[in-house]
Amino acid sequence: METMTEKNKAVVRRFNQEVIGEGNLDSFKELMDEQFVNRSAPEGMNNGPDGMIYFFNEILRPGMPDVHVTIHQQVAEADLVTTRKTIGGTHTGTFLGIPATGRAINIDVIDIVRVKDGKYFEHWGITSLPEILSQLQN
């Protein structure tokens, strides 16, 4: 029988594949709690569900239409799932104001997700995005 931590890890894997990797809005709605809070949202950005999907589908995907997620490791305890992953793609569109360079982008991410009743409830994360943006501008 599958444990709760295994189920929670599966929710996070599914979110990464279907929502981030594929841009699937139905999966997003199914996997996102209405009370979700992104504790790592940049200042001034919506830290709820709308801000999360906006980043993936209106910022990330236009800049890297071939976006994909590689999960390197997951560790779960109680209702928390920590994931070490890479979000990659080719910079063929404008990304956060930077015109397309045609270069490969690989954003390293470590995030922690609180899963409640099979849905994303809370998120904390750190990424290499600032370093990647600096490299793209040079």
Side-chain angles (χ1 to χ4, degrees):
M1 186 170 166
E2 194 175 40
T3 67
M4 187 56 65
T5 56
E6 289 169 331
K7 288 178 183 178
N8 289 346
K9 286 167 70 172
V11 166
V12 173
R13 281 192 306 272
R14 186 172 166 217
F15 185 92
N16 277 274
Q17 178 62 41
E18 295 176 20
V19 176
I20 301 173
E22 299 169 10
N24 186 318
L25 290 174
D26 291 331
S27 295
F28 178 80
K29 291 173 187 171
E30 182 182 333
L31 296 171
M32 185 64 59
D33 190 278
E34 293 175 357
Q35 303 301 312
F36 169 82
V37 177
N38 181 2
R39 304 287 181 194
S40 303
E43 189 174 329
M45 187 172 183
N46 180 318
N47 69 347
D50 291 343
M52 188 73 111
I53 197 64
Y54 179 83
F55 178 79
F56 295 135
N57 284 357
E58 303 300 324
I59 295 174
L60 186 66
R61 190 164 313 288
M64 297 189 309
D66 63 344
V67 67
H68 58 275
V69 181
T70 303
I71 293 178
H72 305 292
Q73 187 176 24
Q74 282 188 305
V75 178
E77 181 177 323
D79 60 353
L80 299 174
V81 178
T82 300
T83 304
R84 184 175 61 85
K85 63 189 174 190
T86 302
I87 299 173
T90 310
H91 183 212
T92 58
T94 300
F95 183 52
L96 292 168
I98 302 171
T101 63
R103 292 163 58 184
I105 295 177
N106 287 299
I107 304 166
D108 295 318
V109 180
I110 297 175
D111 62 14
I112 301 171
V113 175
R114 182 179 310 280
V115 178
K116 180 179 175 186
D117 300 324
K119 296 183 177 204
Y120 268 48
F121 189 73
E122 212 168 0
H123 170 268
W124 299 262
I126 56 173
T127 77
S128 64
L129 183 57
E131 293 85 1
I132 298 299
L133 295 174
S134 176
Q135 292 170 10
L136 290 175
Q137 292 173 332
N138 295 327

